[in-house]
Short mmCIF file of all heavy atoms in Angstrom, two decimals:
data_model
loop_
_atom_site.label_atom_id
_atom_site.label_comp_id
_atom_site.label_asym_id
_atom_site.label_seq_id
_atom_site.Cartn_x
_atom_site.Cartn_y
_atom_site.Cartn_z
N MET A 1 28.48 -13.90 19.64
CA MET A 1 29.15 -12.89 18.86
C MET A 1 28.06 -12.21 17.94
O MET A 1 27.32 -12.94 17.24
CB MET A 1 30.16 -13.62 18.05
CG MET A 1 31.05 -12.68 17.02
SD MET A 1 32.31 -13.65 16.35
CE MET A 1 33.58 -12.57 16.58
N PRO A 2 28.16 -10.89 17.91
CA PRO A 2 27.21 -10.15 17.10
C PRO A 2 27.42 -10.20 15.66
O PRO A 2 28.56 -10.43 15.20
CB PRO A 2 27.34 -8.69 17.68
CG PRO A 2 28.69 -8.62 18.21
CD PRO A 2 29.06 -9.94 18.73
N LEU A 3 26.45 -10.14 14.87
CA LEU A 3 26.48 -10.14 13.36
C LEU A 3 26.88 -8.97 12.91
O LEU A 3 26.25 -7.77 13.25
CB LEU A 3 25.13 -10.55 12.76
CG LEU A 3 24.99 -10.72 11.29
CD1 LEU A 3 26.00 -11.79 10.75
CD2 LEU A 3 23.61 -10.93 10.87
N ILE A 4 27.94 -8.84 12.14
CA ILE A 4 28.46 -7.54 11.58
C ILE A 4 28.37 -7.57 10.00
O ILE A 4 28.83 -8.52 9.44
CB ILE A 4 29.92 -7.29 12.01
CG1 ILE A 4 30.12 -7.19 13.58
CG2 ILE A 4 30.44 -6.07 11.34
CD1 ILE A 4 31.54 -7.24 14.00
N ILE A 5 27.58 -6.60 9.55
CA ILE A 5 27.45 -6.46 8.05
C ILE A 5 27.83 -5.24 7.62
O ILE A 5 27.57 -4.14 8.18
CB ILE A 5 25.84 -6.59 7.91
CG1 ILE A 5 25.26 -7.92 8.34
CG2 ILE A 5 25.58 -6.51 6.34
CD1 ILE A 5 23.74 -8.05 8.28
N PRO A 6 28.64 -5.21 6.65
CA PRO A 6 29.19 -3.92 6.01
C PRO A 6 28.10 -3.11 5.47
O PRO A 6 26.95 -3.65 5.02
CB PRO A 6 30.00 -4.46 4.76
CG PRO A 6 30.30 -5.86 5.03
CD PRO A 6 29.19 -6.37 5.95
N ILE A 7 28.19 -1.80 5.59
CA ILE A 7 27.12 -0.76 5.21
C ILE A 7 26.74 -0.94 3.79
O ILE A 7 25.58 -1.03 3.43
CB ILE A 7 27.63 0.72 5.42
CG1 ILE A 7 27.78 0.90 6.94
CG2 ILE A 7 26.76 1.64 4.74
CD1 ILE A 7 28.32 2.13 7.33
N ARG A 8 27.76 -1.29 2.90
CA ARG A 8 27.23 -1.47 1.47
C ARG A 8 26.45 -2.55 1.33
O ARG A 8 25.56 -2.59 0.43
CB ARG A 8 28.68 -1.53 0.56
CG ARG A 8 29.35 -2.76 0.71
CD ARG A 8 30.66 -2.88 -0.19
NE ARG A 8 31.45 -4.03 0.14
CZ ARG A 8 32.43 -4.04 1.01
NH1 ARG A 8 32.82 -3.02 1.65
NH2 ARG A 8 33.06 -5.19 1.19
N ASP A 9 26.62 -3.66 2.05
CA ASP A 9 25.66 -4.86 1.93
C ASP A 9 24.27 -4.47 2.53
O ASP A 9 23.22 -4.88 2.08
CB ASP A 9 26.27 -5.99 2.76
CG ASP A 9 27.41 -6.64 2.07
OD1 ASP A 9 27.65 -6.27 0.91
OD2 ASP A 9 28.25 -7.47 2.74
N LEU A 10 24.22 -3.58 3.62
CA LEU A 10 22.95 -3.10 4.17
C LEU A 10 22.17 -2.31 3.09
O LEU A 10 20.95 -2.53 2.97
CB LEU A 10 23.19 -2.33 5.32
CG LEU A 10 23.54 -3.13 6.60
CD1 LEU A 10 23.98 -2.07 7.81
CD2 LEU A 10 22.51 -3.99 7.05
N VAL A 11 22.87 -1.48 2.38
CA VAL A 11 22.22 -0.69 1.35
C VAL A 11 21.69 -1.60 0.36
O VAL A 11 20.57 -1.47 -0.17
CB VAL A 11 23.20 0.35 0.67
CG1 VAL A 11 22.58 1.05 -0.48
CG2 VAL A 11 23.54 1.38 1.78
N MET A 12 22.43 -2.66 -0.20
CA MET A 12 21.99 -3.46 -1.22
C MET A 12 20.73 -4.29 -0.70
O MET A 12 19.78 -4.47 -1.48
CB MET A 12 23.07 -4.49 -1.64
CG MET A 12 22.75 -5.30 -2.81
SD MET A 12 22.02 -4.51 -4.19
CE MET A 12 23.60 -4.08 -5.02
N ASN A 13 20.80 -4.74 0.48
CA ASN A 13 19.72 -5.55 1.20
C ASN A 13 18.44 -4.65 1.20
O ASN A 13 17.28 -5.17 0.92
CB ASN A 13 20.07 -6.03 2.46
CG ASN A 13 21.13 -7.29 2.32
OD1 ASN A 13 21.19 -7.95 1.33
ND2 ASN A 13 21.78 -7.46 3.40
N SER A 14 18.66 -3.32 1.53
CA SER A 14 17.52 -2.50 1.60
C SER A 14 16.92 -2.35 0.24
O SER A 14 15.64 -2.35 0.08
CB SER A 14 17.98 -1.20 2.15
OG SER A 14 17.01 -0.29 2.06
N ARG A 15 17.70 -2.17 -0.84
CA ARG A 15 17.15 -2.04 -2.22
C ARG A 15 16.43 -3.30 -2.50
O ARG A 15 15.26 -3.23 -3.16
CB ARG A 15 18.25 -1.65 -3.08
CG ARG A 15 18.72 -0.30 -2.94
CD ARG A 15 19.95 -0.04 -3.93
NE ARG A 15 20.52 1.24 -3.69
CZ ARG A 15 21.74 1.58 -3.97
NH1 ARG A 15 22.47 0.65 -4.57
NH2 ARG A 15 22.22 2.68 -3.68
N LEU A 16 16.98 -4.37 -2.20
CA LEU A 16 16.31 -5.67 -2.58
C LEU A 16 15.07 -5.85 -1.91
O LEU A 16 13.99 -6.31 -2.48
CB LEU A 16 17.15 -6.82 -2.34
CG LEU A 16 18.41 -7.01 -3.27
CD1 LEU A 16 19.43 -8.14 -2.84
CD2 LEU A 16 17.88 -7.25 -4.71
N SER A 17 14.96 -5.56 -0.65
CA SER A 17 13.72 -5.77 0.13
C SER A 17 12.68 -4.83 -0.36
O SER A 17 11.53 -5.13 -0.39
CB SER A 17 14.06 -5.49 1.75
OG SER A 17 14.30 -4.21 2.01
N ASP A 18 13.05 -3.53 -0.80
CA ASP A 18 12.08 -2.59 -1.33
C ASP A 18 11.44 -3.22 -2.63
O ASP A 18 10.23 -3.10 -2.92
CB ASP A 18 12.74 -1.36 -1.69
CG ASP A 18 12.95 -0.40 -0.47
OD1 ASP A 18 12.42 -0.92 0.64
OD2 ASP A 18 13.70 0.64 -0.54
N GLN A 19 12.21 -3.98 -3.38
CA GLN A 19 11.76 -4.49 -4.65
C GLN A 19 10.78 -5.64 -4.33
O GLN A 19 9.81 -5.89 -5.15
CB GLN A 19 12.96 -5.05 -5.54
CG GLN A 19 13.76 -3.97 -6.10
CD GLN A 19 14.94 -4.71 -6.81
OE1 GLN A 19 15.20 -5.76 -6.82
NE2 GLN A 19 15.69 -3.84 -7.47
N PHE A 20 10.79 -6.26 -3.24
CA PHE A 20 10.02 -7.37 -2.83
C PHE A 20 8.75 -6.85 -2.04
O PHE A 20 7.69 -7.36 -2.15
CB PHE A 20 10.64 -8.42 -2.25
CG PHE A 20 11.68 -9.18 -3.09
CD1 PHE A 20 12.97 -9.14 -2.88
CD2 PHE A 20 11.22 -10.05 -4.07
CE1 PHE A 20 13.93 -9.74 -3.78
CE2 PHE A 20 11.94 -10.74 -4.88
CZ PHE A 20 13.29 -10.52 -4.70
N VAL A 21 8.98 -5.92 -1.19
CA VAL A 21 7.94 -5.50 -0.18
C VAL A 21 6.88 -4.67 -1.03
O VAL A 21 5.65 -4.93 -0.76
CB VAL A 21 8.49 -4.64 0.88
CG1 VAL A 21 7.49 -3.94 1.67
CG2 VAL A 21 9.35 -5.57 1.71
N LYS A 22 7.11 -3.79 -1.90
CA LYS A 22 6.17 -3.06 -2.61
C LYS A 22 5.13 -3.85 -3.48
O LYS A 22 4.02 -3.67 -3.28
CB LYS A 22 6.94 -2.02 -3.45
CG LYS A 22 7.54 -0.91 -2.64
CD LYS A 22 8.20 0.12 -3.54
CE LYS A 22 9.05 1.16 -2.65
NZ LYS A 22 9.84 1.98 -3.47
N PRO A 23 5.63 -4.82 -4.35
CA PRO A 23 4.76 -5.70 -4.96
C PRO A 23 3.75 -6.49 -4.02
O PRO A 23 2.63 -6.64 -4.24
CB PRO A 23 5.65 -6.59 -5.81
CG PRO A 23 6.82 -5.84 -5.95
CD PRO A 23 7.03 -5.11 -4.71
N ASN A 24 4.37 -6.93 -2.85
CA ASN A 24 3.64 -7.79 -1.92
C ASN A 24 2.54 -6.80 -1.33
O ASN A 24 1.39 -7.33 -1.12
CB ASN A 24 4.45 -8.32 -0.78
CG ASN A 24 5.27 -9.50 -1.40
OD1 ASN A 24 4.86 -10.01 -2.38
ND2 ASN A 24 6.32 -9.78 -0.62
N ARG A 25 2.76 -5.65 -1.15
CA ARG A 25 1.83 -4.65 -0.48
C ARG A 25 0.68 -4.36 -1.49
O ARG A 25 -0.55 -4.39 -1.24
CB ARG A 25 2.56 -3.34 -0.20
CG ARG A 25 1.49 -2.26 0.49
CD ARG A 25 1.00 -2.82 1.83
NE ARG A 25 0.07 -1.81 2.29
CZ ARG A 25 -1.11 -2.14 2.83
NH1 ARG A 25 -1.44 -3.36 3.07
NH2 ARG A 25 -1.93 -1.24 3.19
N ILE A 26 1.09 -4.25 -2.81
CA ILE A 26 0.03 -4.11 -3.86
C ILE A 26 -0.79 -5.30 -3.96
O ILE A 26 -2.09 -5.27 -4.01
CB ILE A 26 0.67 -3.69 -5.15
CG1 ILE A 26 1.36 -2.30 -5.09
CG2 ILE A 26 -0.26 -3.73 -6.30
CD1 ILE A 26 2.30 -1.99 -6.12
N ASP A 27 -0.27 -6.45 -3.89
CA ASP A 27 -0.95 -7.79 -3.90
C ASP A 27 -1.97 -7.83 -2.83
O ASP A 27 -3.13 -8.31 -2.82
CB ASP A 27 -0.06 -8.97 -3.95
CG ASP A 27 0.62 -9.15 -5.25
OD1 ASP A 27 0.15 -8.43 -6.29
OD2 ASP A 27 1.68 -9.83 -5.22
N GLN A 28 -1.52 -7.45 -1.57
CA GLN A 28 -2.34 -7.39 -0.41
C GLN A 28 -3.50 -6.55 -0.54
O GLN A 28 -4.65 -6.80 -0.20
CB GLN A 28 -1.57 -7.04 0.88
CG GLN A 28 -2.34 -7.12 2.08
CD GLN A 28 -2.72 -8.53 2.57
OE1 GLN A 28 -2.05 -9.50 2.27
NE2 GLN A 28 -3.86 -8.60 3.23
N ILE A 29 -3.32 -5.35 -1.02
CA ILE A 29 -4.40 -4.31 -1.33
C ILE A 29 -5.45 -4.94 -2.20
O ILE A 29 -6.64 -4.92 -2.04
CB ILE A 29 -3.83 -3.08 -1.76
CG1 ILE A 29 -3.06 -2.43 -0.60
CG2 ILE A 29 -4.95 -2.12 -2.28
CD1 ILE A 29 -2.29 -1.17 -0.99
N ILE A 30 -4.93 -5.45 -3.34
CA ILE A 30 -5.92 -6.14 -4.28
C ILE A 30 -6.64 -7.25 -3.76
O ILE A 30 -7.85 -7.39 -3.92
CB ILE A 30 -5.08 -6.64 -5.58
CG1 ILE A 30 -4.52 -5.34 -6.35
CG2 ILE A 30 -5.97 -7.47 -6.50
CD1 ILE A 30 -3.46 -5.77 -7.34
N TYR A 31 -5.87 -8.06 -2.89
CA TYR A 31 -6.65 -9.17 -2.27
C TYR A 31 -7.75 -8.81 -1.28
O TYR A 31 -8.98 -9.27 -1.30
CB TYR A 31 -5.60 -10.13 -1.48
CG TYR A 31 -6.22 -11.11 -0.59
CD1 TYR A 31 -6.75 -12.31 -1.18
CD2 TYR A 31 -6.21 -10.97 0.75
CE1 TYR A 31 -7.30 -13.27 -0.39
CE2 TYR A 31 -6.87 -12.03 1.58
CZ TYR A 31 -7.29 -13.00 1.05
OH TYR A 31 -7.85 -14.03 1.80
N GLU A 32 -7.48 -7.63 -0.60
CA GLU A 32 -8.49 -7.16 0.43
C GLU A 32 -9.66 -6.59 -0.34
O GLU A 32 -10.83 -6.76 0.05
CB GLU A 32 -7.77 -6.15 1.33
CG GLU A 32 -6.77 -6.72 2.37
CD GLU A 32 -6.16 -5.75 3.10
OE1 GLU A 32 -6.48 -4.46 3.04
OE2 GLU A 32 -5.23 -6.07 3.84
N TYR A 33 -9.49 -5.93 -1.48
CA TYR A 33 -10.51 -5.26 -2.32
C TYR A 33 -11.38 -6.36 -2.89
O TYR A 33 -12.57 -6.32 -2.78
CB TYR A 33 -9.83 -4.49 -3.42
CG TYR A 33 -10.82 -4.11 -4.59
CD1 TYR A 33 -11.63 -3.02 -4.29
CD2 TYR A 33 -10.97 -4.82 -5.75
CE1 TYR A 33 -12.62 -2.66 -5.32
CE2 TYR A 33 -11.80 -4.54 -6.67
CZ TYR A 33 -12.69 -3.37 -6.37
OH TYR A 33 -13.58 -3.01 -7.38
N GLU A 34 -10.75 -7.51 -3.36
CA GLU A 34 -11.49 -8.65 -3.91
C GLU A 34 -12.42 -9.22 -2.79
O GLU A 34 -13.52 -9.58 -2.98
CB GLU A 34 -10.63 -9.60 -4.58
CG GLU A 34 -10.06 -9.07 -5.85
CD GLU A 34 -8.96 -10.04 -6.36
OE1 GLU A 34 -8.48 -10.91 -5.72
OE2 GLU A 34 -8.62 -9.81 -7.58
N LYS A 35 -11.81 -9.37 -1.58
CA LYS A 35 -12.79 -9.88 -0.52
C LYS A 35 -13.79 -8.95 -0.17
O LYS A 35 -14.88 -9.63 0.02
CB LYS A 35 -11.79 -10.12 0.82
CG LYS A 35 -10.99 -11.29 0.92
CD LYS A 35 -10.13 -11.57 2.04
CE LYS A 35 -10.34 -10.56 3.16
NZ LYS A 35 -9.48 -10.92 4.41
N GLU A 36 -13.68 -7.70 -0.13
CA GLU A 36 -14.77 -6.79 0.07
C GLU A 36 -15.84 -6.89 -1.03
O GLU A 36 -17.05 -6.79 -0.74
CB GLU A 36 -14.28 -5.37 0.14
CG GLU A 36 -13.50 -5.10 1.42
CD GLU A 36 -13.02 -3.66 1.48
OE1 GLU A 36 -13.57 -2.74 0.71
OE2 GLU A 36 -12.09 -3.24 2.35
N MET A 37 -15.39 -7.06 -2.25
CA MET A 37 -16.25 -7.16 -3.30
C MET A 37 -17.14 -8.45 -3.34
O MET A 37 -18.28 -8.48 -3.63
CB MET A 37 -15.64 -7.05 -4.70
CG MET A 37 -14.89 -5.76 -5.04
SD MET A 37 -16.29 -4.35 -5.16
CE MET A 37 -15.89 -3.46 -3.85
N ALA A 38 -16.50 -9.50 -2.84
CA ALA A 38 -17.13 -10.74 -2.67
C ALA A 38 -18.10 -10.71 -1.59
O ALA A 38 -19.24 -11.38 -1.75
CB ALA A 38 -16.18 -11.83 -2.44
N LYS A 39 -18.00 -9.86 -0.58
CA LYS A 39 -18.97 -9.74 0.46
C LYS A 39 -20.11 -8.84 0.06
O LYS A 39 -21.08 -8.62 0.81
CB LYS A 39 -18.20 -9.18 1.76
CG LYS A 39 -17.35 -10.23 2.37
CD LYS A 39 -16.66 -9.56 3.50
CE LYS A 39 -15.69 -10.53 4.26
NZ LYS A 39 -15.13 -9.93 5.48
N GLY A 40 -19.98 -8.23 -1.06
CA GLY A 40 -21.31 -7.45 -1.54
C GLY A 40 -20.91 -5.87 -1.45
O GLY A 40 -21.91 -5.17 -1.72
N ALA A 41 -19.74 -5.47 -1.25
CA ALA A 41 -19.41 -4.11 -1.21
C ALA A 41 -19.58 -3.52 -2.66
O ALA A 41 -19.39 -4.17 -3.65
CB ALA A 41 -17.95 -3.78 -0.70
N LYS A 42 -19.97 -2.28 -2.74
CA LYS A 42 -20.07 -1.53 -3.98
C LYS A 42 -19.10 -0.61 -4.22
O LYS A 42 -18.84 0.28 -3.34
CB LYS A 42 -21.51 -0.99 -4.07
CG LYS A 42 -22.61 -1.95 -4.03
CD LYS A 42 -24.03 -1.27 -4.17
CE LYS A 42 -25.11 -2.39 -4.04
NZ LYS A 42 -26.36 -1.85 -4.39
N PRO A 43 -18.43 -0.62 -5.38
CA PRO A 43 -17.38 0.43 -5.71
C PRO A 43 -18.07 1.82 -5.91
O PRO A 43 -19.11 1.86 -6.38
CB PRO A 43 -16.75 -0.11 -6.94
CG PRO A 43 -17.77 -0.98 -7.52
CD PRO A 43 -18.61 -1.52 -6.52
N ILE A 44 -17.36 2.84 -5.53
CA ILE A 44 -17.82 4.19 -5.86
C ILE A 44 -16.88 4.90 -6.74
O ILE A 44 -15.66 4.53 -6.85
CB ILE A 44 -17.99 4.96 -4.50
CG1 ILE A 44 -16.62 5.14 -3.84
CG2 ILE A 44 -18.98 4.29 -3.66
CD1 ILE A 44 -16.71 6.13 -2.59
N ASP A 45 -17.41 5.93 -7.44
CA ASP A 45 -16.53 6.60 -8.35
C ASP A 45 -15.52 7.60 -7.55
O ASP A 45 -15.85 8.12 -6.38
CB ASP A 45 -17.43 7.66 -9.18
CG ASP A 45 -16.68 8.46 -10.15
OD1 ASP A 45 -15.97 7.78 -10.87
OD2 ASP A 45 -16.83 9.73 -10.18
N LEU A 46 -14.35 7.64 -7.99
CA LEU A 46 -13.21 8.37 -7.31
C LEU A 46 -13.70 9.84 -7.03
O LEU A 46 -13.42 10.44 -5.98
CB LEU A 46 -11.93 8.25 -8.01
CG LEU A 46 -10.74 8.86 -7.40
CD1 LEU A 46 -10.51 8.14 -6.03
CD2 LEU A 46 -9.48 8.77 -8.14
N ASN A 47 -14.26 10.43 -8.03
CA ASN A 47 -14.65 11.85 -7.90
C ASN A 47 -15.73 11.95 -6.89
O ASN A 47 -15.70 12.96 -6.14
CB ASN A 47 -15.25 12.35 -9.33
CG ASN A 47 -14.20 12.61 -10.43
OD1 ASN A 47 -13.00 12.75 -10.04
ND2 ASN A 47 -14.48 12.19 -11.58
N ASP A 48 -16.65 11.03 -6.76
CA ASP A 48 -17.68 11.13 -5.74
C ASP A 48 -17.00 10.98 -4.25
O ASP A 48 -17.35 11.69 -3.44
CB ASP A 48 -18.76 9.94 -5.81
CG ASP A 48 -19.57 10.16 -6.94
OD1 ASP A 48 -19.74 11.33 -7.51
OD2 ASP A 48 -20.24 9.22 -7.47
N ALA A 49 -15.95 10.14 -4.31
CA ALA A 49 -15.22 9.87 -2.92
C ALA A 49 -14.48 11.22 -2.52
O ALA A 49 -14.67 11.67 -1.40
CB ALA A 49 -14.23 8.80 -3.10
N PHE A 50 -13.88 11.83 -3.47
CA PHE A 50 -13.16 13.13 -3.14
C PHE A 50 -14.23 14.11 -2.81
O PHE A 50 -13.93 15.03 -1.90
CB PHE A 50 -12.40 13.64 -4.30
CG PHE A 50 -11.06 12.93 -4.44
CD1 PHE A 50 -10.63 12.29 -5.60
CD2 PHE A 50 -10.23 12.91 -3.37
CE1 PHE A 50 -9.43 11.78 -5.70
CE2 PHE A 50 -9.00 12.27 -3.50
CZ PHE A 50 -8.53 11.64 -4.60
N ARG A 51 -15.38 14.31 -3.51
CA ARG A 51 -16.34 15.33 -3.18
C ARG A 51 -16.90 15.08 -1.71
O ARG A 51 -17.06 16.04 -0.88
CB ARG A 51 -17.60 15.20 -4.12
CG ARG A 51 -17.48 16.33 -5.16
CD ARG A 51 -18.74 16.21 -6.05
NE ARG A 51 -18.33 15.79 -7.35
CZ ARG A 51 -18.72 14.67 -7.87
NH1 ARG A 51 -19.50 13.80 -7.28
NH2 ARG A 51 -18.26 14.38 -9.06
N LYS A 52 -17.13 13.88 -1.39
CA LYS A 52 -17.58 13.46 0.00
C LYS A 52 -16.57 13.83 1.00
O LYS A 52 -16.90 14.46 2.12
CB LYS A 52 -17.96 12.07 0.01
CG LYS A 52 -19.27 11.65 -0.70
CD LYS A 52 -19.57 10.25 -0.58
CE LYS A 52 -20.87 9.93 -1.33
NZ LYS A 52 -21.06 8.43 -1.35
N LEU A 53 -15.24 13.49 0.81
CA LEU A 53 -14.25 13.86 1.66
C LEU A 53 -14.05 15.37 1.82
O LEU A 53 -13.83 15.86 2.98
CB LEU A 53 -12.89 13.21 1.26
CG LEU A 53 -12.82 11.66 1.49
CD1 LEU A 53 -11.61 11.18 0.85
CD2 LEU A 53 -12.89 11.32 3.00
N ASN A 54 -14.09 16.08 0.73
CA ASN A 54 -13.94 17.48 0.84
C ASN A 54 -15.08 18.14 1.54
O ASN A 54 -14.92 18.99 2.47
CB ASN A 54 -13.89 18.14 -0.64
CG ASN A 54 -12.46 17.98 -1.24
OD1 ASN A 54 -11.49 17.92 -0.49
ND2 ASN A 54 -12.47 17.88 -2.62
N LYS A 55 -16.27 17.69 1.31
CA LYS A 55 -17.48 18.20 2.07
C LYS A 55 -17.35 17.85 3.59
O LYS A 55 -17.58 18.69 4.37
CB LYS A 55 -18.63 17.60 1.59
CG LYS A 55 -20.03 18.09 2.08
CD LYS A 55 -21.12 17.45 1.47
CE LYS A 55 -22.40 18.07 2.04
NZ LYS A 55 -23.65 17.58 1.44
N LYS A 56 -16.94 16.66 3.95
CA LYS A 56 -16.81 16.24 5.22
C LYS A 56 -15.72 17.05 6.05
O LYS A 56 -15.91 17.35 7.16
CB LYS A 56 -16.45 14.75 5.28
CG LYS A 56 -16.39 14.28 6.78
CD LYS A 56 -16.07 12.73 6.77
CE LYS A 56 -16.05 12.11 8.14
NZ LYS A 56 -15.85 10.77 8.20
N TYR A 57 -14.57 17.38 5.45
CA TYR A 57 -13.56 17.77 6.20
C TYR A 57 -13.24 19.41 5.99
O TYR A 57 -12.57 19.91 6.70
CB TYR A 57 -12.13 17.17 5.90
CG TYR A 57 -12.20 15.75 6.47
CD1 TYR A 57 -12.46 14.61 5.75
CD2 TYR A 57 -12.11 15.62 7.94
CE1 TYR A 57 -12.47 13.34 6.28
CE2 TYR A 57 -12.12 14.33 8.42
CZ TYR A 57 -12.27 13.18 7.69
OH TYR A 57 -12.38 11.91 8.18
N TYR A 58 -13.81 19.96 4.83
CA TYR A 58 -13.43 21.36 4.47
C TYR A 58 -14.56 22.28 4.41
O TYR A 58 -14.45 23.34 4.09
CB TYR A 58 -12.68 21.27 3.16
CG TYR A 58 -11.23 20.49 3.32
CD1 TYR A 58 -11.11 19.32 2.60
CD2 TYR A 58 -10.27 21.01 4.12
CE1 TYR A 58 -9.94 18.61 2.77
CE2 TYR A 58 -9.10 20.22 4.40
CZ TYR A 58 -8.90 19.16 3.63
OH TYR A 58 -7.84 18.40 3.74
N GLU A 59 -15.73 21.65 4.42
CA GLU A 59 -16.93 22.65 4.48
C GLU A 59 -17.60 22.74 5.64
O GLU A 59 -17.55 21.99 6.63
CB GLU A 59 -17.92 22.03 3.37
CG GLU A 59 -17.36 22.27 1.96
CD GLU A 59 -18.33 21.82 0.87
OE1 GLU A 59 -19.62 21.58 1.21
OE2 GLU A 59 -17.94 21.78 -0.24
#
């Protein structure tokens, strides 16, 4: 027998999952950044990054 869920419950479940998924994604990004830094990666200035990307793709 298939599982039948009312639409109002689906909307509520979607909202709840968004509340949990977004923080987990941010935590994952921070974790990956910390791993890169531990391996010796060097952070760059955001303005330098934008300048390099603009030069690479728009000049």
Side-chain angles (χ1 to χ4, degrees):
M1 181 176 225
L3 179 66
I4 300 174
I5 301 174
I7 292 176
R8 67 179 176 272
D9 291 343
L10 286 175
V11 171
M12 181 57 77
N13 287 338
S14 174
R15 289 180 187 152
L16 288 174
S17 69
D18 286 347
Q19 290 176 354
F20 292 108
V21 169
K22 288 177 185 176
N24 286 339
R25 180 67 184 134
I26 292 169
D27 289 342
Q28 181 66 32
I29 292 168
I30 292 170
Y31 172 74
E32 290 173 10
Y33 169 79
E34 289 173 343
K35 279 187 356 184
E36 288 181 18
M37 292 295 112
K39 289 181 182 178
K42 296 185 180 189
I44 62 171
D45 182 54
L46 185 60
N47 290 326
D48 291 341
F50 279 127
R51 258 187 250 111
K52 288 178 183 179
L53 286 172
N54 282 331
K55 184 176 181 180
K56 181 176 181 179
Y57 291 107
Y58 299 110
E59 290 182 10

